[in-house]
Amino acid sequence: MAFLRRTVGSGIRRYSQGAAKEWLTDDFLDSLRAVVGSAKVSAAAVVREQHGHDESMHRCCPPDAVVWPQTVEQVSLLASTCYSRGAPMIPFGTGTGLEGGVSAIQGGVCFNLTQMDRVLELNTEDFTVAVEPGVTRKALNHFLRGSGLWFPVDPGADASLCGMAATSASGTNAVRYGTMRQNVLNLQVVLPDGKVLHTGGQNRRPRKSAAGYNLTGLFVGSEGTLGFITQATVRLHGIPEATVAAVCGFPSVKAAVDSTVQILQAGIPIARIEFLDEVMMGACNRYSGLSYAEQPTLFLEFHGSTGGVREQVEATGEIVKSNDGSDFAWAQEQEARDQLWAARHNAWYAALALCPGRKAYSTDVCVPISRLPEVLVETKKDLLASKLTGPIVGHVGDGNFHCILMCDSEDDDEKGRVKEFAERLARRALAMDGTCTGEHGVGLGKRQLLREEVGDVALSTMQRIKAALDPKNLMNPGKVL
Amino acid sequence: MAFLRRTVGSGIRRYSQGAAKEWLTDDFLDSLRAVVGSAKVSAAAVVREQHGHDESMHRCCPPDAVVWPQTVEQVSLLASTCYSRGAPMIPFGTGTGLEGGVSAIQGGVCFNLTQMDRVLELNTEDFTVAVEPGVTRKALNHFLRGSGLWFPVDPGADASLCGMAATSASGTNAVRYGTMRQNVLNLQVVLPDGKVLHTGGQNRRPRKSAAGYNLTGLFVGSEGTLGFITQATVRLHGIPEATVAAVCGFPSVKAAVDSTVQILQAGIPIARIEFLDEVMMGACNRYSGLSYAEQPTLFLEFHGSTGGVREQVEATGEIVKSNDGSDFAWAQEQEARDQLWAARHNAWYAALALCPGRKAYSTDVCVPISRLPEVLVETKKDLLASKLTGPIVGHVGDGNFHCILMCDSEDDDEKGRVKEFAERLARRALAMDGTCTGEHGVGLGKRQLLREEVGDVALSTMQRIKAALDPKNLMNPGKVL
């Protein structure tokens, strides 16, 4: 792990390597302190290192300083200070990204937004809530207890909602409730020059609008490259009257995935449908103390009225049976369901525990659901041929799955095979009309794949938008484009 | 109705008024003919007039020429010709817009896209279809007969799907199935300079993606100001097992709207919930030969399994009863339902028939549903005080409603009262955290209201995007911004 800079006291000592950073002066750091106070600015190596990486294998690139603004006004003043000096700016939420989105590859100032953590306005009648960027999805759902409402988008990690908006997160419930794209109604954004933008107008929250360009949709998924998301107004959903979860094993990958496709095509409004291959099931059994059969498996959850859930379960049961699936193992009570989904959400750590000492890289392709059986079967073959350990888990109801590739970062040959496998998988998904990223984003690692996916005209259109909104290329530079 | 130009044979004679159009030469028209053939270019006055207006009261502004491209390659060549000469370009679908979106206020070339009318690729397994810009929603649903699938977004008019994407259309089914924003997966767009953009990559159709900026979302609702939508890939939905529709009268506007709010808050997945006030009901009775009580009324439709629909109907019935609603008048069979919704969709013509010889202007505000009772009651009072006839009808499940204001275009006093009333209504919606347009768009008429709604920073951000993608301001100039 290489540091580009290190600090001595409050001063800055420059290494000879790396591009010159004219902006990086003691005076500059003082101007940041003048906005938020000395305690909310740090240039300490350990702090910078903490902020230079997410949960992925991407190399740690520490920022030169970290700031903890408390208000949107402070974010605005800090941004305009950085903008006038030409300092790169990197938004930081919970650091749970998976594509290197927070790496400060050109150095700069990391804005840690976790201390802005108020729930600002809850409208239970309209099913909307506005939150500051430090509010995580679990914190919001805790806040909502007793209201009869919840926020369903669930990427597994306890990510911040504004970070989830920035990366267009989704996860297990997206098949029923949509991704962040469908659940963000409005955003407050601090632009690189410090101006404060309300993408849908200040405090507005109609269910739909046709007023002007869809700026909300543009900032969702912009990965911090266009501005700081300092407030998000999101849709809430009613807690269903009935919820049941079930686990079901299959004799083959194809049987499990065929069932998924048929369940969706039958129009069953399933809330969650997650696939785990036999390797992943084994890892989850060991990590979470479960005892499911180690075979291709679906984790299912049904939401609705009592009668509606019964209908869904019956229809799903018939489909599963026709594909030689096992009987359902039920998880009806809250506690049992929590245990089941905790096991699913701990898949990442379960995979890491398979190969102690190794790191992991998660692929993230998404294809039209009709192509799922084919892409999964081919991917399993490729794993074998590549001699890689890569348990598969995914939101198959959306056609989205992950291969968690275990990798010894000291083993160049293995690193090479992981990289080549991941690129082959992405291109396999592209060849099947899919995308190289269903939910993790482009970040650092998928910029070339993005070009292949969308083509030169779309890429240059994105670049023109970036240049129009961030003409100095200071917002999270080097990401996405 | 004033013409800015008139043609003599194939030549152009300029009037003295209006800005000079250096590009408007015989040679220019010849270069358009070279692309599409002489029969597909017209500068005849009657043709230009037909293309200079939509269904709204906005003044007819004819383009200088109309072209009928047959392929995306032709659209691209025509656009690059116009771009190099500096000629404004206006996309034209079915001309059923309501905010003057097709008015050629600076003249230019109107691209009538109705002859590109092929359904390109239907994927029944993935519930997606790609269509050319001339395919209307009724044509698509006709094409889909027997497939078990349908496209639900229904603004009333038989609009083209690409036009609906351009204006972010919605309508009666949006409360359940979303608007065009939720139903467009990918777009092919010809940019002003003729380059062909695939907003989500060529032929891609995953259910979700986190790959780069959401260009699809940006073009949906851009009202022809950023490029020509020449292909749309949209989501389809399964035809529900059971569908029933019902009509229910209420003693007051508030009782009807309170019922709506309660139905939504109970989480009943209603497919359509439309409000008609007593004036609108009277007009619909007369126009469509119905005999419903002339009182505030809800038209409802339920989709689902047989059991699910029964549950929805029971739960809705209880809510309606608690608000002193009448018993349901049922429309269970397809024919009865068609008659019911035809009456609803003919509301515009029914309103026009109320005051023969008058024109109509439809407002289009949308507020959070909890504010609906208040905004509707205040609006009814304002109508009385303003001495205007304005039947009210709307997609109240989304908080969206229209006041169809009857107006004698020769009566300047009435025109003034209509304009002032519409602005007051829009600002009333803005004051209740809503929007000045839920679905009709900004077009010509709501540019000042857009500024008030989103604020200066959002407006200048939109302007920067426009300048980045259309630097010569040739795409549908003068609209939205």
Side-chain angles (χ1 to χ4, degrees):
Chain A
M1 222 164 270
F3 288 102
L4 300 173
R5 299 268 171 279
R6 60 175 183 169
T7 55
V8 178
S10 70
I12 302 288
R13 196 163 66 176
R14 302 207 177 172
Y15 285 173
S16 54
Q17 65 266 41
K21 299 181 185 175
E22 303 300 335
W23 53 269
L24 190 51
T25 62
D26 291 342
D27 169 59
F28 172 71
L29 291 181
D30 285 342
S31 66
L32 301 180
R33 290 186 189 104
V35 176
V36 288
S38 294
K40 303 295 183 191
V41 178
S42 175
V46 63
V47 170
R48 292 166 43 226
E49 187 187 342
Q50 282 164 357
H51 288 81
H53 63 89
D54 56 16
E55 294 194 354
S56 71
M57 280 182 64
H58 289 288
R59 191 168 64 93
C60 177
C61 296
D64 296 287
V66 179
V67 293
W68 285 265
Q70 311 294 305
T71 64
V72 62
E73 291 75 19
Q74 289 184 351
V75 176
S76 169
L77 283 168
L78 291 167
S80 71
T81 302
C82 292
Y83 191 78
S84 64
R85 304 290 189 104
M89 296 171 261
I90 304 105
F92 193 98
T94 53
T96 47
L98 292 169
E99 284 297 343
V102 297
S103 289
I105 58 173
Q106 298 180 14
V109 179
C110 174
F111 286 51
N112 182 318
L113 301 168
T114 54
Q115 294 183 2
M116 293 171 65
D117 61 356
R118 290 176 304 163
V119 176
L120 296 171
E121 191 184 347
L122 171 65
N123 291 91
T124 53
E125 289 195 309
D126 296 312
F127 291 27
T128 65
V129 69
V131 296
E132 286 191 332
V135 177
T136 67
R137 64 174 188 85
K138 284 186 184 172
L140 176 61
N141 280 325
H142 184 81
F143 177 87
L144 292 170
R145 284 199 301 190
S147 71
L149 300 175
W150 70 311
F151 183 74
V153 184
D154 178 359
D158 187 22
S160 66
L161 293 159
C162 290
M164 287 166 62
T167 55
S168 191
S170 46
T172 52
N173 287 303
V175 63
R176 167 79 173 256
Y177 297 95
T179 73
M180 290 304 281
R181 288 202 202 283
Q182 284 83 43
N183 284 284
V184 175
L185 285 172
N186 201 348
L187 295 171
Q188 182 193 63
V189 174
V190 174
L191 294 172
D193 63 1
K195 287 205 183 79
V196 180
L197 166 71
H198 297 272
T199 55
Q202 192 165 5
N203 295 329
R204 307 210 171 281
R205 49 193 181 82
R207 282 170 59 101
K208 66 182 191 183
S209 172
Y213 299 162
N214 182 4
L215 296 181
T216 307
L218 179 63
F219 278 87
V220 173
S222 61
E223 301 189 34
T225 64
L226 299 177
F228 297 94
I229 298 178
T230 47
Q231 188 177 314
T233 304
V234 299
R235 267 179 207 265
L236 300 173
H237 297 260
I239 292 176
E241 178 189 317
T243 299
V244 295
V247 174
C248 180
F250 291 85
S252 68
V253 171
K254 192 167 180 309
V257 180
D258 281 348
S259 300
T260 305
V261 175
Q262 290 161 24
I263 288 165
L264 291 167
Q265 286 169 353
I268 298 167
I270 199 152
R272 289 169 154 167
I273 183 163
E274 297 285 306
F275 169 79
L276 296 87
D277 75 354
E278 68 284 2
V279 186
M280 193 75 252
M281 267 323 296
C284 285
N285 275 344
R286 278 185 286 284
Y287 187 83
S288 297
L290 304 174
S291 55
Y292 292 114
E294 296 190 7
Q295 64 185 135
T297 301
L298 291 177
F299 283 19
L300 305 146
E301 192 165 283
F302 305 90
H303 296 176
S305 64
T306 308
V309 164
R310 195 183 313 121
E311 276 189 349
Q312 291 180 47
V313 167
E314 279 167 17
T316 302
E318 282 174 28
I319 290 169
V320 162
K321 206 170 170 185
S322 73
N323 286 291
D324 300 322
S326 72
D327 287 342
F328 288 138
W330 294 104
Q332 195 143 4
E333 300 309 315
Q334 179 77 44
E335 198 179 341
R337 291 204 312 272
D338 287 350
Q339 194 188 10
L340 181 68
W341 292 110
R344 162 63 190 89
H345 283 318
N346 283 326
W348 172 258
Y349 305 104
L352 281 169
L354 272 184
C355 308
R358 278 180 160 165
K359 295 194 167 182
Y361 175 72
S362 174
T363 65
D364 172 39
V365 301
C366 184
V367 297
I369 53 170
S370 67
R371 310 302 294 271
L372 256 182
E374 187 182 354
V375 74
L376 272 167
V377 168
E378 283 187 28
T379 299
K380 295 280 287 178
K381 277 190 207 158
D382 192 359
L383 270 174
L384 269 180
S386 305
K387 295 181 182 136
L388 290 169
T389 301
I392 291 175
V393 60
H395 321 304
V396 282
D398 286 321
N400 182 204
F401 69 92
H402 313 297
C403 194
I404 304 178
L405 297 163
M406 308 314 302
C407 184
D408 178 351
S409 55
E410 305 295 308
D411 179 344
D412 284 342
D413 178 64
E414 191 170 71
K415 271 164 65 183
R417 279 181 289 125
V418 163
K419 185 169 185 293
E420 283 166 18
F421 173 89
E423 288 182 3
R424 264 196 313 278
L425 174 52
R427 292 192 175 108
R428 191 176 300 130
L430 294 184
M432 294 187 192
D433 302 340
T435 173
C436 69
T437 173
E439 55 182 17
H440 295 170
V442 173
L444 274 178
K446 289 189 172 162
R447 289 172 295 172
Q448 171 56 30
L449 288 165
L450 175 64
R451 177 182 289 275
E452 293 175 30
E453 177 167 333
V454 300
D456 288 343
V457 178
L459 199 72
S460 75
T461 302
M462 292 178 194
Q463 284 162 339
R464 286 198 265 169
I465 291 169
K466 166 78 171 171
L469 270 56
D470 180 22
K472 295 187 183 180
N473 189 26
L474 295 176
M475 277 310 305
N476 207 4
K479 310 299 165 56
V480 184
L481 301 174
Chain B
M1 222 164 268
F3 288 102
L4 300 173
R5 300 270 169 275
R6 60 175 182 169
T7 53
V8 177
S10 69
I12 302 289
R13 196 163 68 177
R14 302 208 177 171
Y15 284 174
S16 53
Q17 65 268 40
K21 301 179 185 175
E22 301 300 334
W23 54 269
L24 189 51
T25 63
D26 291 342
D27 169 59
F28 172 71
L29 292 182
D30 284 342
S31 65
L32 301 180
R33 290 186 188 104
V35 177
V36 288
S38 295
K40 303 295 182 191
V41 179
S42 175
V46 64
V47 170
R48 292 165 43 225
E49 187 187 342
Q50 281 164 358
H51 288 81
H53 63 88
D54 56 16
E55 294 195 353
S56 72
M57 278 182 66
H58 289 287
R59 190 169 64 93
C60 177
C61 295
D64 296 286
V66 179
V67 294
W68 286 264
Q70 310 293 305
T71 64
V72 62
E73 291 76 18
Q74 289 184 351
V75 176
S76 169
L77 283 169
L78 291 168
S80 70
T81 302
C82 291
Y83 190 79
S84 64
R85 305 291 188 103
M89 297 172 261
I90 303 103
F92 193 100
T94 53
T96 47
L98 292 169
E99 284 297 344
V102 299
S103 289
I105 58 172
Q106 299 180 15
V109 179
C110 174
F111 286 51
N112 182 317
L113 301 167
T114 54
Q115 295 183 4
M116 293 171 65
D117 62 355
R118 290 176 303 163
V119 176
L120 295 171
E121 192 185 346
L122 172 64
N123 290 90
T124 53
E125 289 194 308
D126 296 312
F127 291 28
T128 64
V129 69
V131 297
E132 287 191 332
V135 177
T136 66
R137 64 173 187 86
K138 284 187 183 170
L140 176 61
N141 280 324
H142 184 81
F143 177 87
L144 291 171
R145 284 201 299 190
S147 71
L149 301 175
W150 69 311
F151 183 75
V153 185
D154 177 359
D158 187 22
S160 66
L161 293 159
C162 290
M164 286 166 62
T167 55
S168 191
S170 45
T172 51
N173 286 303
V175 64
R176 167 79 172 257
Y177 297 95
T179 73
M180 290 304 281
R181 289 203 201 281
Q182 284 82 43
N183 285 284
V184 175
L185 286 172
N186 202 347
L187 295 171
Q188 181 192 63
V189 174
V190 174
L191 294 172
D193 63 1
K195 288 204 183 77
V196 179
L197 166 71
H198 298 272
T199 55
Q202 193 164 3
N203 295 330
R204 307 211 170 282
R205 50 194 181 79
R207 281 169 59 101
K208 66 182 191 184
S209 172
Y213 299 161
N214 182 4
L215 297 180
T216 307
L218 179 63
F219 278 87
V220 172
S222 61
E223 301 189 35
T225 63
L226 299 177
F228 297 93
I229 298 177
T230 48
Q231 189 177 313
T233 305
V234 298
R235 267 179 208 264
L236 301 174
H237 298 259
I239 292 175
E241 178 188 317
T243 299
V244 295
V247 174
C248 180
F250 291 84
S252 67
V253 170
K254 190 167 182 311
V257 180
D258 281 349
S259 300
T260 304
V261 174
Q262 290 161 24
I263 288 164
L264 290 166
Q265 286 169 353
I268 298 167
I270 199 151
R272 288 169 156 166
I273 182 162
E274 297 285 306
F275 170 78
L276 296 86
D277 75 353
E278 68 284 3
V279 186
M280 193 76 252
M281 267 321 296
C284 285
N285 275 344
R286 278 185 285 286
Y287 188 82
S288 297
L290 303 174
S291 54
Y292 292 114
E294 298 191 5
Q295 63 185 138
T297 301
L298 291 178
F299 283 19
L300 306 146
E301 192 164 283
F302 305 91
H303 295 175
S305 64
T306 307
V309 164
R310 194 182 314 119
E311 276 189 350
Q312 292 179 46
V313 167
E314 278 168 17
T316 303
E318 282 174 27
I319 290 169
V320 162
K321 206 169 168 186
S322 74
N323 286 291
D324 300 321
S326 71
D327 288 340
F328 287 140
W330 295 102
Q332 194 143 5
E333 301 307 316
Q334 178 77 44
E335 198 179 341
R337 291 203 313 271
D338 288 350
Q339 195 189 9
L340 181 67
W341 293 109
R344 162 63 189 88
H345 284 318
N346 283 326
W348 172 259
Y349 305 104
L352 283 170
L354 272 183
C355 309
R358 278 181 162 163
K359 295 193 167 183
Y361 175 71
S362 174
T363 66
D364 172 37
V365 301
C366 184
V367 296
I369 53 171
S370 67
R371 311 300 297 270
L372 256 182
E374 188 182 353
V375 74
L376 271 167
V377 167
E378 283 187 27
T379 300
K380 295 280 287 179
K381 276 188 208 159
D382 192 0
L383 270 174
L384 270 179
S386 305
K387 295 182 183 133
L388 290 169
T389 301
I392 290 175
V393 60
H395 320 304
V396 282
D398 286 319
N400 182 205
F401 69 92
H402 314 297
C403 194
I404 305 178
L405 297 163
M406 308 314 302
C407 184
D408 179 351
S409 55
E410 306 295 308
D411 179 343
D412 286 340
D413 178 65
E414 191 170 69
K415 272 163 65 182
R417 279 181 288 126
V418 163
K419 185 169 184 295
E420 284 165 17
F421 172 89
E423 289 182 2
R424 264 196 314 277
L425 174 51
R427 293 191 174 109
R428 191 176 300 132
L430 294 184
M432 294 186 191
D433 302 339
T435 173
C436 70
T437 172
E439 55 181 18
H440 296 171
V442 173
L444 274 178
K446 289 188 173 162
R447 289 171 295 173
Q448 171 57 30
L449 288 165
L450 175 65
R451 176 181 292 272
E452 294 174 31
E453 177 167 335
V454 300
D456 287 344
V457 178
L459 199 72
S460 74
T461 302
M462 292 179 194
Q463 284 163 339
R464 279 147 85 182
I465 291 169
K466 166 76 171 172
L469 270 57
D470 181 22
K472 295 188 184 179
N473 190 25
L474 294 176
M475 277 309 305
N476 208 5
K479 309 299 165 55
V480 183
L481 302 172

